[in-house]
């Protein structure tokens, strides 16, 4: 619900209700076009009510409508990041089949390495996509840009599924694989900044923390779904059929999801245009007055880059777990996949726990505790797995590493976003994030595999995690100290049950 003369997506006038301690923008996040028809009369009522005692007026229909549209918006914004990680896990899972299909140009041809190089090439285009789409979002608004990025992702995914193999079209097949990966990388880079900004600006309070963390949650959910779908396809089809065409089915499912997500985003993009000649809608942070991130320095940029780089390195070391277990510890594919699936589930549980603890426990205490736990637990669990490789030990390894990563996700994303001015958040966050992921996303796993093969040092992933995670968390602690974290505040008890939520900025 909006009070004011502008579109319903703009922040409220900063007026506090006496006796309640909440502001207009804390009471009513945007909720859509219905509010546009009522705002004049409602604005007068709210101002009159604000001059008196505590307000006891509720709008259950509008509150329900707001919540439904918020959920729809969060789902549509999160699907791009989820589709990215879904394709990532599937590509790694079916890399041998993809290499044989598109890179088998004759006797003696290498297939697996070119397939992995083609996949990594997409990371190189992410910073370009973040820059171009970030600039476009600043001029035209975030949602039109996100419609374009999802359209590009869907087209590239579908083109990859329908592309004939090298035996039919020859050299054109590997060339088109590189083209599709370049389009996907460009779109994924342009997606992350505007989508994260809109998720952050969708609501306030506890829901803001949960919505912003959806970028991390969807990574884990998509990885889990991809692992389950890949396993199911592998079980249902014989190896010959799987190598010929069966591996394409999971990617086709992802393309269908892209169509659904595009439909949702198109609806979100046109919904606010309730008036003729309305200006492009640009999401503004609903609690921007609490942030204090008016100046963005090079020091802040370096800290954010350090946090994201360390997180990306640790993430891709963890995702290396299946190859590590099978290639170095000689575990079966089933054992490795089950252990990874349980680890992802543990990471999801840790993220939900981190969201719940965000306003209840000191954030610095959580970060310090995670640093200590990482240094004390990672090396022992790796040693146990190396000496006694089995399903229980691999379950322990994946559960510990994924939990330690997930517990700080909410603190990480909220601290980073609060450190960047709202008007430049789409561009700056997108650029910093894609720069870090482009380096570590494309290089971490090949370098890790090459290093272990040439040195035989099986503890390399353990020491990499023990080095990268604490460095990133220390940088996050410094960034947390530099930012102006809003104090915890709650709606008065007499407002509960009257249509108001408990709000914690």
């Amino acid at each position: 619900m909006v009070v004011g003369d502008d579109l319903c997506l703009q922040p409220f006038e900063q007026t506090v209700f006496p006796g309640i301690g909440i502001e207009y923008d804390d009471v009513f996040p945007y909720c859509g076009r219905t509010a546009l028809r009522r705002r004049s009369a409602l604005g007068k009522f709210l101002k009159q009510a604000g001059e008196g005692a505590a307000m006891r007026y509720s709008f259950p229909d509008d509150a329900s409508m707001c919540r439904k549209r918020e959920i729809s918006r969060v789902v549509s914004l999160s699907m791009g990041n989820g589709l990215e990680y879904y394709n990532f896990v599937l590509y790694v899972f079916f890399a041998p089949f993809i290499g044989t299909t598109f890179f088998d140009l004759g006797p003696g041809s290498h297939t697996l390495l070119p397939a992995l190089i083609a996949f990594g090439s997409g990371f190189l285009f992410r910073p370009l996509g973040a820059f171009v789409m970030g600039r476009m979002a600043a001029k035209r608004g975030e949602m039109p840009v996100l419609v374009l990025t999802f359209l590009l992702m869907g087209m590239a995914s579908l083109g990859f599924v329908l592309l004939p193999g090298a035996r039919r079209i020859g050299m054109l097949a590997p060339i088109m694989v590189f083209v599709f990966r370049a389009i996907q990388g460009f779109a994924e880079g342009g997606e992350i900044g505007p989508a994260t900004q809109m998720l952050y600006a969708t609501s306030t309070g506890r829901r803001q923390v949960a919505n912003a963390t959806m970028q991390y949650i969807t990574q884990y959910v998509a990885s889990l779904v991809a692992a389950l779908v890949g396993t199911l396809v592998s079980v249902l089809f014989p190896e010959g059929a799987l190598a010929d065409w069966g591996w394409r089915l999971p990617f086709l499912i992802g393309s269908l999801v892209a169509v659904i997500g595009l439909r949702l985003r198109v609806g979100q993009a046109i919904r606010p245009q309730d008036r003729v000649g309305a200006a492009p809608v640009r999401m503004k942070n609903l609690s921007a007055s609490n942030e204090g991130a008016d100046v963005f320095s090079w020091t802040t940029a370096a800290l954010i880059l350090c946090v994201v780089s360390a997180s990306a390195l640790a993430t891709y070391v963890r995702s290396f777990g299946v190859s590590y277990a099978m290639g170095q510890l000689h575990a079966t594919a089933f054992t490795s996949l089950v252990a990874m699936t349980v680890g992802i589930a543990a990471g999801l549980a840790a993220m939900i726990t981190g969201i719940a603890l965000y306003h209840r426990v000191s954030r610095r205490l959580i970060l310090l505790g995670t640093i200590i736990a990482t240094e004390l637990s990672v090396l022992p669990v790796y040693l146990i797995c190396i000496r006694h490789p089995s399903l229980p030990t691999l379950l322990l390894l994946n559960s510990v590493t994924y939990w330690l990563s997930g517990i700080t996700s909410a603190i990480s994303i909220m601290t980073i976003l609060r450190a960047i001015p709202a008007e430049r958040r789409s561009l700056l966050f997108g650029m910093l994030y894609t720069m870090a992921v482009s380096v570590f996303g494309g290089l971490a796993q090949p370098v890790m595999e090459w290093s272990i093969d040439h040195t035989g040092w099986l503890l390399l992933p353990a020491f990499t995690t023990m080095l990268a995670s604490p460095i990133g968390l220390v940088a996050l602690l410094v960034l947390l100290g530099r930012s102006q974290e809003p104090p915890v505040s709650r709606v008065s008890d007499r407002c509960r049950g009257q249509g108001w939520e408990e709000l914690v900025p």
Side-chain angles (χ1 to χ4, degrees):
M1 184 86 50
V2 167
V3 182
D5 296 324
D6 206 349
L7 286 172
C8 62
L9 293 181
Q10 302 302 323
F12 286 101
E13 177 183 348
Q14 299 296 316
T15 304
V16 178
F17 291 97
I20 301 181
I22 50 179
E23 300 176 351
Y24 284 158
D25 57 350
D26 282 335
V27 175
F28 293 113
Y30 72 88
C31 66
R33 58 210 264 180
T34 302
L36 292 171
R37 305 188 183 100
R38 303 185 188 175
R39 60 171 175 258
S40 298
L42 180 60
K44 294 179 182 179
F45 170 77
L46 288 177
K47 289 183 179 180
Q48 293 173 0
E51 295 171 357
M55 190 166 98
R56 294 180 176 274
Y57 194 91
S58 63
F59 305 93
D61 295 336
D62 289 335
S64 175
M65 179 182 63
C66 284
R67 186 58 179 153
K68 290 179 180 178
R69 289 187 174 175
E70 181 183 332
I71 292 174
S72 175
R73 183 173 291 267
V74 169
V75 170
S76 68
L77 292 172
S78 303
M79 290 180 74
N81 193 53
L83 182 61
E84 171 193 346
Y85 272 79
Y86 177 83
N87 287 331
F88 166 73
V89 173
L90 286 179
Y91 198 104
V92 174
F93 195 81
F94 293 112
F97 301 136
I98 294 172
T100 302
T101 301
F102 297 118
F103 295 93
D104 187 6
L105 300 174
S109 298
H110 295 284
T111 58
L112 180 58
L113 183 59
L116 295 176
I117 293 175
F119 178 79
S121 65
F123 289 93
L124 300 177
F125 291 88
R126 291 194 180 195
L128 178 62
F131 177 77
V132 173
M133 295 301 179
R135 294 291 299 272
M136 189 180 297
K139 295 179 180 180
R140 299 180 180 273
E142 281 87 358
M143 188 54 80
V145 169
L146 292 176
V147 171
L148 177 59
T149 59
F150 217 61
L151 178 62
L152 292 174
M153 292 172 65
M155 292 173 57
S157 298
L158 185 60
F160 180 73
V161 171
L162 301 178
L163 181 65
R167 294 179 182 177
R168 294 183 59 186
I169 60 175
M171 192 65 188
L172 184 60
I175 292 176
M176 291 306 300
V177 171
F178 276 95
V179 171
F180 288 139
R181 279 300 302 155
I183 295 174
Q184 284 181 326
F186 180 87
E188 289 162 359
E191 166 93 8
I192 188 66
T196 304
Q197 158 65 357
M198 291 193 71
L199 283 169
Y200 181 68
T202 294
S203 63
T204 58
R206 287 195 175 95
R207 290 211 306 269
Q208 185 182 53
V209 180
N211 291 345
T213 313
M214 283 300 295
Q215 289 289 61
Y216 291 126
I217 292 176
T218 51
Q219 294 178 9
Y220 280 50
V221 172
S223 300
L224 185 61
V225 171
L228 294 175
V229 171
T231 304
L232 180 62
V233 170
S234 300
V235 171
L236 292 178
F237 295 98
E239 186 173 351
L242 189 64
D244 289 339
W245 54 271
W247 66 265
R248 297 177 186 262
L249 293 180
F251 289 98
L252 181 60
I253 295 174
S255 301
L256 297 177
V257 172
V259 174
I260 298 173
L262 183 62
R263 177 65 185 87
L264 288 174
R265 288 192 178 181
V266 169
Q268 294 288 348
I270 65 176
R271 182 174 295 157
Q273 308 298 335
D274 197 55
R275 299 181 299 179
V276 176
V281 177
R282 297 179 177 87
M283 294 297 296
K284 303 294 183 182
N285 176 29
L286 294 177
S287 57
S289 60
N290 293 329
E291 293 192 17
D294 298 326
V295 179
F296 188 76
S297 65
W298 286 105
T299 303
T300 302
L303 288 171
I304 294 175
L305 189 61
C306 182
V307 172
V308 178
S309 298
S311 176
L313 179 57
T315 296
Y316 287 103
V317 169
R318 286 194 308 274
S319 62
F320 176 66
V322 173
S323 300
Y324 177 79
M326 294 177 60
Q328 308 300 332
L329 304 182
H330 308 292
T332 64
F334 176 80
T335 298
S336 304
L337 191 59
V338 169
M340 180 64 69
T341 302
V342 173
I344 293 173
L348 280 172
M351 286 185 184
I352 296 172
T353 303
I355 293 171
L357 295 178
Y358 185 82
H359 291 294
R360 293 180 172 88
V361 180
S362 169
R363 293 148 205 171
R364 292 174 177 83
L365 181 62
I366 294 176
L367 294 177
L368 289 172
T370 303
I371 293 174
I372 296 173
T374 299
E375 297 303 302
L376 294 179
S377 63
V378 170
L379 182 58
V381 294
Y382 267 96
L383 284 172
I384 292 173
C385 279
I386 292 172
R387 294 175 181 176
H388 308 283
S390 62
L391 179 58
T393 57
L394 287 172
L395 288 174
L396 176 64
L397 171 62
N398 284 277
S399 299
V400 169
T401 54
Y402 273 92
W403 177 275
L404 291 174
S405 173
I407 196 67
T408 59
S409 295
I411 301 174
S412 176
I413 190 66
M414 292 296 292
T415 303
I416 290 173
L417 294 178
R418 282 201 171 110
I420 305 175
E423 65 275 6
R424 291 186 289 168
R425 188 174 291 132
S426 293
L427 175 61
L428 293 177
F429 178 79
M431 287 296 299
L432 293 171
Y433 181 89
T434 54
M435 287 169 60
V437 172
S438 295
V439 174
F440 295 103
L443 296 178
Q445 295 191 24
V447 171
M448 189 74 61
E449 179 71 23
W450 182 88
S451 300
I452 295 177
D453 286 342
H454 284 74
T455 64
W457 192 29
L458 297 181
L459 288 175
L460 180 59
F463 283 96
T464 302
T465 302
M466 293 172 63
L467 178 65
S469 294
I471 289 177
L473 293 177
V474 169
L476 188 60
L477 275 170
V478 176
L479 190 64
L480 187 65
R482 290 170 59 89
S483 63
Q484 298 181 10
E485 288 290 305
V488 174
S489 61
R490 304 180 188 277
V491 177
S492 172
D493 289 337
R494 53 184 165 176
C495 296
R496 297 195 177 100
Q498 302 295 329
W500 308 105
E501 303 179 65
E502 184 180 14
L503 296 162
V504 183

